[in-house]
Amino acid sequence: MAHCCAAIYFMNIRGDILIERRYRDDVERDMAENFRTQILNSKGESASLQTPVRTLGSCTFMYLRHADLYILMVTRNNANVMMAFKFMTSLVDLLRSYFEGALNESSVKRNFVLIYELLDETMDYGFPQLTEPAALKSFILQKGVRSELDAASSTQQARNATLTVTGAVSWRRPGLKYSSNEVFLDIVEEVNLLLSSTGAVLRNDVAGKVLMKCKLSDMPELRLGLNEALEDVTFHQCVNLGAYEQSKVVTFIPPDGEFELMRYRTSEGINVPFKVIPVVKELGRTRLEANVSVRSLFGAKMFALNTVVLVPVPDYTAKCNIVVTSGKAKYDATKKAIVWKIKRFSGACEHNLRAEVSMVSTTKERKPWPRPPISMSFQVPMFSASGLRVMYLKITERRQGPAYSVEKWVRKVCKSGDFQVRI
Amino acid sequence: MSKPRGPTKPRGEYAELSAQLQGLCMTGKRSNIELRQAKKEAFKKVINYMTLGMDMAGLFPMMTSCANLSPDDVVLKKMLYLYITHYAASTPDLALLTINQLHKDCQDQDPTVRGLALRSLCSLRIPNLLEYVVTPVSAGLDDRHPYVRRTAVMGVLKIWHMSPDVVEAQGLLQHVQQLLGQDGDPQVAANCLTLLMQVQGVKRLASNKALMYSLINRIKEFSDWAQCQVLELVAHYTPGSDAEVYDLLNALEDRLGVNNSAVVLATIKVFLYMTLSMTATHQQVLERVKEQLKSLISREDPAAVYAVLCHARLLVARAPMIFEGDYMAFYCRSHDSWYVKQLKMEILTLLASASNVYDIVGELTEYTRDISADTARQAVKAVGRIALSVADVNGIVERLLLFLESGYDHIVAETLVQLKDLLRRYPDLGEVFSMGDIRPSGVADPEARAALVWILGHFGQHIDTAPYLLQPLVEAFGSEPQPVKLALLTAAAKLFFKKPGESRKLLGACLAGGLNDSDQDVHDRALLYYRLLKQDVSTAQLVIAGDPNEPQQAMPFFTDELPQEAQQAIFDEFNTLSVVYQQPASSFVQSAQYHAQHADEYDALGEAAAADAPGSAGSSGAAAADGGDALLVDTSTNLLDSVQQQEANLLDLGDDEPSSTSLAGGAAAAAPAAAAGLGGLLDDDGLGGLDSLMGGLGGLSGGSSSSNGPGQQQQQQQQQQQQQLQLSPGFKLMPGVFQERWRALAPAEQYVDSLNMATLAALAANDHKDFCGHVGQANVYTMACGGAAPMFKYYFYAQDGPSQCLFLVEMVVATASRHATVTIKSDAPQPLLAQFVAVWKTVLLGFYR
């Protein structure tokens, strides 16, 4: 059935229990101890070699790792596994938003009372209840933020807030006030590319998300027009899906603060920001020659930041003579690669790397070099690999009408995901 | 319910905290911010130690009075209640003291406090205190604030788990049912739904069409999690007409576009279940949800991707055609975790068909260069499996053979293992390719070495150097691992029939090594071969290497593929852990011992849930004592294990199956002579005492074999196999099969034993597990066990290996009269049955005190 778990644990990497919240009594603390001794610290296999769902006896463990923490769910039933993992990621998001991004062992230790409070509200008897940060923040207050205010007024505020938690618009509470209304909209795209050694495209897709930060008073309705209808797209729960199906306009009443409005993915009509042409030749047993040329395919007015190209070389490399037309390149023995960094890569231009690699000579027979792929990472501001553009962002507030003015900011950035070229 | 007691607390700190709290109680009259802060710090320390597993139960009175003196501090209250619920079960007397305070808080002005108090009250989990819980919960259901109402609804569920009677008697269920229809707050409605799904069973609730439609209509009001519950309900609804199906699908289609992957997967489940009987639409649905799966795979966290991929694996296995063109979506990325890569490769294996196999194998070949040896091996394995499944074998086999030249030990090793399986399926390939110059002594991995040895033995006629390649291994026979030893014995025996002249010494050395071996299996196989060869060489050839005049038989399928019915059973539990484990819930959920009266366990059984559940809700949780049907949910069956077990057996059988040899007639004629030489050889090696050893063994096993003439040996052996009971170790039986057979068979043997008190106690000890474990040692396995005082019930099963006959045993123990009634049912012939009954009684005698 659709319950998630009988207990939730937070552990550090050694497996020490930081938080224990049991929702049902069919699991005991020993289970978590077993998890530590038999899964986390088992000999030979470290936790990184374990699948995220494990069983010991009739007990199932589902866990994920975040920073230096394990979040672990234990159940004896046939739980809804997808819900369990989604709940754990929602919990991570929730705690991160409480701790301003830093969810780790020390922040858990510092705030364990708060976490217990949240665990109490987010789940009851193994069934998820409410995980929306905006709604929870209105009545579970982080120590140090609100409790130093006048105790009486803050309790009063909390009491009022509770009344709205379970209302229809659970993600936003009414009566918000800002002196100036501001909306920030970021389109963040990750482009994945895999080219074969002959230059054929093996995989090419873009995974994007639209992140928003709203500082808006009252109950505004936002309408976001995009230049194309996306095929594979999912939205935050605040978005009116019916309206999108009909008119392809994203209509929503936003939560307060930062949130992820939508995610999308496309594999058609992608603008690839870079073209990489590698020629890597092995000359006998001790020499290797690599020529890599990288050309930027975006407009001359744009530029890429922090471009790094990793050109792999064999393990037993002794020396590299490298010449580059731009940036800096050097051999990094730990990465087994030549690391070529270009701080600022202008649009519509080409840079080359030429390297002569000499290897240590031995009499022993060597295994052939597996020729791992060249990989590349970069950030291109204001570039959209999917071609997605914001046509308009309209904001209306029913009560204030035309008097409601908002400052709008739109940014775009294209990052490298898995960007690889086989050689 | 064991107490959560970890290491005992150091005295000093405990005493210090105790004193501190006491001090805070004394000065509690002066309420100021400083005091409040001090209390909070002290409470935090207590909670912290509690989390570390130290026993803090002794601080109960201090904690309570401390918090009671600052009644307006909500955070303090929360900490206190957390503390109370943590220790309530172990210290019920102390918990009783807090009931008053909790009751008072249930009347508080602040809904947060009311909800908190109610939740804590219900979480005490002490059956004796139930009477104090019911009234506030009942009042909470009518509270004016939704927060309290939804907490109260979950409270009803908690009470129901402790005592369904109380819920029934107080009419709480009717109350909740009303709320579900009327309450305007979505979360309250959602919790009502959750409760009723647990109590009444999903199927019965889903038959309430009006309710379901009203929930679908307001689904957008619900939180993501509540939507999952609604969708779960809809998935169990049986629509009246095709038109209704389309309506429902249209109404729910936008749920596929939600950001929460749990909702998406729940929707996919609805879509799949709804269209099961509409083949064409079902295909379309698969096409539709395919996109959703692909996007979940590309954007979720690794752990969630793992769960999604498990579901994708199931769907791909059901309908590979649909996913055939989308193989690129399952290509691995370099940053994927290894378990994601592994699943993706499994899916690629399932997807491979004539249209995409070259692309997939090409991609898999790239993965063999992965830094992780495990992933690289997995890739080779995937190529091997594809070669097995795709008819167009040649190109793929060549690719596999290329791996032999890769120069990497782990890749060569895995390739050998795969080649062996491939050759068993397609024996004709053995003539086509050469193994290159790989020497078994150079292969480090035992499994791979055993595989290579098998190939050398089985295809020895094509490989001129086979005996010489095996020679170094045989010389170091004693130091080889067990699988290699077994493979060596068989390979040497097979080679002996193919190349008697070159292999005589090899076989002699092997048998000598095997007979001296401390490993039972190795010893037995060597002994078997030796006796066979000694009695009659041509019969031995039939048994070991097969009939030389018949063509080689191919292995038609391997048992590691998930059988159809198991796959269906898993599909019936879509969107649960079953899909991850690839086992039906009945094999890993231990329900007979935990909460036998849960309705969801009936569901897990996947049968007649709707009919049973309401009955059990009313009938005082009598499910445990309610007879076999409810008990048959025990989980000692583990499908995966049994599959692996079977595969292991098959591998062994593979050696003994008939296989052709191109042995010339002359060589066959020479064989007896060689065997005669062999006897001498063995004697030369100082094994003169072997015969006496055999005599001794023969005497033990009934003295049947040694006294017979060589001509009857084969027949005799068969007879012996038929009549000698050999219970299969590790045998597994599905609960469904058990029930079916139990109904079908008439009792073959029935008797009553009387037990003494000590035996009774021993039976029930450790949740009956000791007894079941004891019986398991005799290869008689537990289907279900349990029950409380007036009656214990046990169901066991076993299988005779050679004849595949089943034995099913029911044992009912009446504790008052101390009688055990044993009923044995079986489809075995009388001699076997008699043997089984004897074994069974011996087993019981071994346990009786």
Side-chain angles (χ1 to χ4, degrees), chain A residues 255-295:
Chain A
D256 192 40
E258 291 179 41
F259 67 102
E260 183 183 295
L261 177 67
M262 56 189 272
R263 287 187 183 204
Y264 57 92
R265 191 181 60 101
T266 176
S267 47
E268 312 262 307
I270 292 169
N271 310 318
V272 180
F274 288 101
K275 185 174 182 182
V276 181
I277 304 166
V279 181
V280 179
K281 276 187 278 191
E282 285 169 86
L283 308 167
R285 285 161 48 110
T286 56
R287 280 183 57 224
L288 183 138
E289 203 178 275
N291 283 299
V292 181
S293 80
V294 181
R295 189 189 305 157

Side-chain angles (χ1 to χ4, degrees), chain B residues 500-777:
Chain B
E502 293 161 291
S503 316
R504 247 175 65 184
K505 278 197 164 166
L506 196 69
L507 179 59
C510 259
L511 288 177
L515 288 169
N516 279 329
D517 205 84
S518 56
D519 186 280
Q520 193 64 42
D521 285 345
V522 176
H523 176 81
D524 285 358
R525 188 178 289 195
L527 195 61
L528 171 73
Y529 286 173
Y530 175 68
R531 284 154 137 189
L532 275 171
L533 288 165
K534 207 168 181 217
Q535 294 290 355
D536 180 0
V537 173
S538 58
T539 316
Q541 179 172 10
L542 273 179
V543 173
I544 298 170
D547 189 341
N549 303 318
E550 299 236 333
Q552 294 194 37
Q553 257 180 23
M555 184 67 56
F557 63 91
F558 292 98
T559 46
D560 62 344
E561 291 149 21
L562 206 57
Q564 203 70 38
E565 59 193 58
Q567 201 189 325
Q568 184 59 40
I570 294 164
F571 181 74
D572 289 339
E573 290 163 19
F574 196 81
N575 201 12
T576 62
L577 281 172
S578 315
V579 181
V580 175
Y581 291 142
Q582 295 192 284
Q583 294 174 27
S586 49
S587 63
F588 61 89
V589 176
Q590 225 173 32
S591 47
Q593 283 146 16
Y594 293 90
H595 301 296
Q597 65 269 57
H598 283 202
D600 49 341
E601 272 77 25
Y602 288 88
D603 270 358
L605 247 185
E607 51 172 48
D612 289 353
S616 82
S619 68
S620 74
D626 199 327
D629 288 9
L631 283 168
L632 288 186
V633 206
D634 189 65
T635 63
S636 25
T637 42
N638 182 324
L639 187 68
L640 205 65
D641 274 357
S642 79
V643 165
Q644 278 162 358
Q645 188 74 37
Q646 277 171 16
E647 185 181 38
N649 290 344
L650 250 179
L651 286 176
D652 289 344
L653 285 175
D655 295 328
D656 301 335
E657 92 201 17
S659 57
S660 103
T661 58
S662 61
L663 202 58
L678 177 72
L681 240 166
L682 287 172
D683 283 343
D684 288 348
D685 286 344
L687 284 168
L690 189 66
D691 281 333
S692 63
L693 177 65
M694 277 165 51
L697 278 173
L700 271 177
S701 66
S704 55
S705 66
S706 52
S707 57
N708 283 299
Q712 293 168 342
Q713 177 74 26
Q714 177 89 7
Q715 201 189 352
Q716 179 66 38
Q717 201 185 355
Q718 275 175 4
Q719 268 181 11
Q720 194 186 347
Q721 272 183 359
Q722 270 173 17
Q723 292 182 352
Q724 188 72 42
L725 181 78
Q726 284 179 8
L727 295 180
S728 322
F731 174 66
K732 302 283 178 202
L733 193 63
M734 304 292 295
V737 181
F738 184 96
Q739 273 177 293
E740 189 189 309
R741 299 307 304 258
W742 183 260
R743 284 198 204 107
L745 292 169
E749 174 83 22
Q750 212 159 11
Y751 67 92
V752 178
D753 257 354
S754 49
L755 314 172
N756 60 21
M757 287 305 283
T759 309
L760 269 187
L763 278 174
N766 193 12
D767 251 352
H768 306 279
K769 277 181 198 152
D770 289 351
F771 177 53
C772 296
H774 174 81
V775 176
Q777 287 169 4

Side-chain angles (χ1 to χ4, degrees), chain A residues 32-318:
Chain A
E33 304 284 344
N34 284 347
F35 176 78
R36 185 182 71 193
T37 53
Q38 298 193 30
I39 295 181
L40 284 190
N41 300 342
S42 65
K43 267 188 197 148
E45 290 177 280
S46 67
S48 62
L49 286 173
Q50 308 269 358
T51 53
V53 180
R54 288 290 305 245
T55 164
L56 289 177
S58 62
C59 215
T60 297
F61 300 90
M62 296 172 279
Y63 65 100
L64 52 82
R65 184 162 171 190
H66 180 89
D68 52 359
L69 287 175
Y70 286 103
I71 299 174
L72 166 70
M73 282 183 153
V74 189
T75 180
R76 280 187 191 276
N77 286 38
N78 192 14
N80 181 335
V81 55
M82 198 70 237
M83 197 197 246
F85 280 118
K86 193 64 203 175
F87 180 79
M88 282 192 273
T89 46
S90 304
L91 199 60
V92 169
D93 291 344
L94 175 68
L95 294 175
R96 278 169 54 109
S97 96
Y98 263 95
F99 304 156
E100 280 152 4
L103 173 61
N104 51 39
E105 184 179 347
S106 67
S107 67
V108 167
K109 277 186 171 162
R110 261 184 282 122
N111 295 293
F112 69 93
V113 174
L114 174 70
I115 296 178
Y116 274 124
E117 279 186 60
L118 288 172
L119 286 175
D120 224 25
E121 297 297 335
T122 49
M123 186 171 260
D124 200 353
Y125 210 55
F127 295 96
Q129 298 285 309
L130 190 70
T131 50
E132 203 52 49
L136 283 165
K137 273 185 182 170
S138 65
F139 74 107
I140 297 205
L141 312 169
Q142 189 176 12
K143 188 194 71 97
V145 177
R146 290 269 178 83
S147 61
E148 279 158 21
L149 297 172
D150 178 20
S153 84
S154 95
T155 346
Q156 194 49 47
Q157 204 176 348
R159 275 176 198 189
N160 288 339
T162 329
L163 300 170
T164 63
V165 204
T166 50
V169 185
S170 65
W171 57 85
R172 188 180 181 89
R173 64 192 152 96
L176 289 165
K177 287 284 176 249
Y178 285 97
S179 53
S180 65
N181 294 319
E182 285 179 308
V183 173
F184 300 85
L185 187 148
D186 283 331
I187 299 180
V188 183
E189 296 192 334
E190 280 192 4
V191 57
N192 298 306
L193 176 78
L194 180 62
L195 293 179
S196 76
S197 49
T198 57
V201 177
L202 293 173
R203 181 176 59 229
N204 189 6
D205 57 64
V206 172
K209 45 190 168 185
V210 177
L211 304 174
M212 294 199 75
K213 184 173 173 184
C214 292
K215 292 181 164 180
L216 297 171
S217 313
D218 295 321
M219 278 286 181
E221 189 181 64
L222 276 69
R223 290 161 55 80
L224 173 67
L226 299 168
N227 64 325
E228 53 187 305
L230 294 157
E231 277 299 302
D232 178 6
V233 57
T234 61
F235 293 103
H236 188 269
Q237 69 170 130
C238 67
V239 174
N240 183 339
L241 295 172
Y244 181 76
E245 289 292 320
Q246 256 175 13
S247 59
K248 302 292 169 195
V249 177
V250 185
T251 313
F252 57 101
I253 296 173
D256 192 40
E258 291 179 41
F259 67 102
E260 183 183 295
L261 177 67
M262 56 189 272
R263 287 187 183 204
Y264 57 92
R265 191 181 60 101
T266 176
S267 47
E268 312 262 307
I270 292 169
N271 310 318
V272 180
F274 288 101
K275 185 174 182 182
V276 181
I277 304 166
V279 181
V280 179
K281 276 187 278 191
E282 285 169 86
L283 308 167
R285 285 161 48 110
T286 56
R287 280 183 57 224
L288 183 138
E289 203 178 275
N291 283 299
V292 181
S293 80
V294 181
R295 189 189 305 157
S296 55
L297 302 175
F298 43 85
K301 285 182 185 167
M302 287 193 266
F303 54 88
L305 289 174
N306 301 328
T307 309
V308 180
V309 183
L310 285 182
V311 183
V313 293
D315 308 0
Y316 30 84
T317 296

Side-chain angles (χ1 to χ4, degrees), chain A residues 1-3 17-26 28-30 48-55 58 60-64 75-83 85-87 89-90 110 112-113 116-117 120-121 124-125 127-131 139-140 143 159 162-163 166-168 192 194 202-203 205 232-237 241-242 245 260-263 265 367-372 417-418 420 422-423, chain B residues 1-2 4 44 47-48 50-53 75 78-79 82 86 110-112 116 119 125 145-147 150 154 157-158 161 185-187 191 194 197-198 202 222-225 228-229 254-255 257-262 265 291 294-295 298-301 303-304 306-308 311 328 331-335 338-339 363 366-367 369 406-408 573 575-578 580-581 585 588-590 594-595 598 600-601 603:
Chain A
M1 275 299 306
H3 94 262
I17 298 173
L18 305 175
I19 299 280
E20 176 190 30
R21 182 70 174 88
R22 281 184 283 151
Y23 293 102
R24 295 178 170 223
D25 45 9
D26 61 352
E28 290 109 44
R29 191 188 171 91
D30 317 357
S48 62
L49 286 173
Q50 308 269 358
T51 53
V53 180
R54 288 290 305 245
T55 164
S58 62
T60 297
F61 300 90
M62 296 172 279
Y63 65 100
L64 52 82
T75 180
R76 280 187 191 276
N77 286 38
N78 192 14
N80 181 335
V81 55
M82 198 70 237
M83 197 197 246
F85 280 118
K86 193 64 203 175
F87 180 79
T89 46
S90 304
R110 261 184 282 122
F112 69 93
V113 174
Y116 274 124
E117 279 186 60
D120 224 25
E121 297 297 335
D124 200 353
Y125 210 55
F127 295 96
Q129 298 285 309
L130 190 70
T131 50
F139 74 107
I140 297 205
K143 188 194 71 97
R159 275 176 198 189
T162 329
L163 300 170
T166 50
N192 298 306
L194 180 62
L202 293 173
R203 181 176 59 229
D205 57 64
D232 178 6
V233 57
T234 61
F235 293 103
H236 188 269
Q237 69 170 130
L241 295 172
E245 289 292 320
E260 183 183 295
L261 177 67
M262 56 189 272
R263 287 187 183 204
R265 191 181 60 101
K367 286 166 185 168
W369 180 47
R371 299 174 76 94
D418 234 8
Q420 296 191 327
R422 289 180 179 157
I423 53 176
Chain B
M1 231 181 294
S2 86
K44 271 169 86 168
I47 303 281
N48 191 22
M50 184 180 93
T51 308
L52 292 176
V75 176
K78 280 183 177 170
M79 284 198 266
L82 178 71
H86 194 95
D110 186 348
T112 325
L116 173 70
R119 185 164 51 226
R125 296 180 299 230
H145 197 280
Y147 181 77
R150 72 169 154 104
M154 292 313 274
L157 182 59
K158 290 172 197 168
H161 273 288
D185 185 86
Q187 192 61 44
N191 283 1
T194 303
M197 277 165 81
Q198 291 274 298
V202 187
F222 290 114
S223 74
D224 288 343
W225 314 115
C228 292
Q229 297 284 12
D254 61 357
R255 292 298 106 194
V258 173
N259 223 342
N260 188 318
S261 48
L265 211 62
E291 294 304 318
K294 274 158 67 180
S295 95
S298 68
R299 57 156 221 244
E300 289 294 332
D301 300 316
Y306 178 77
V308 176
H311 286 85
M328 297 256 236
Y331 280 3
C332 302
R333 310 197 161 192
S334 51
H335 307 312
W338 71 272
Y339 49 78
E363 181 71 14
E366 295 288 341
Y367 304 155
R369 307 194 309 203
S406 68
Y408 286 92
E573 290 163 19
N575 201 12
T576 62
L577 281 172
S578 315
V580 175
Y581 291 142
F588 61 89
V589 176
Q590 225 173 32
Y594 293 90
H595 301 296
H598 283 202
D600 49 341
E601 272 77 25
D603 270 358

Side-chain angles (χ1 to χ4, degrees), chain B residues 172-196:
Chain B
L172 289 175
L173 276 189
Q174 287 79 347
H175 206 143
V176 168
Q177 219 141 15
Q178 260 177 351
L179 268 187
L180 177 59
Q182 291 165 0
D183 205 292
D185 185 86
Q187 192 61 44
V188 176
N191 283 1
C192 291
L193 178 65
T194 303
L195 164 71
L196 291 174

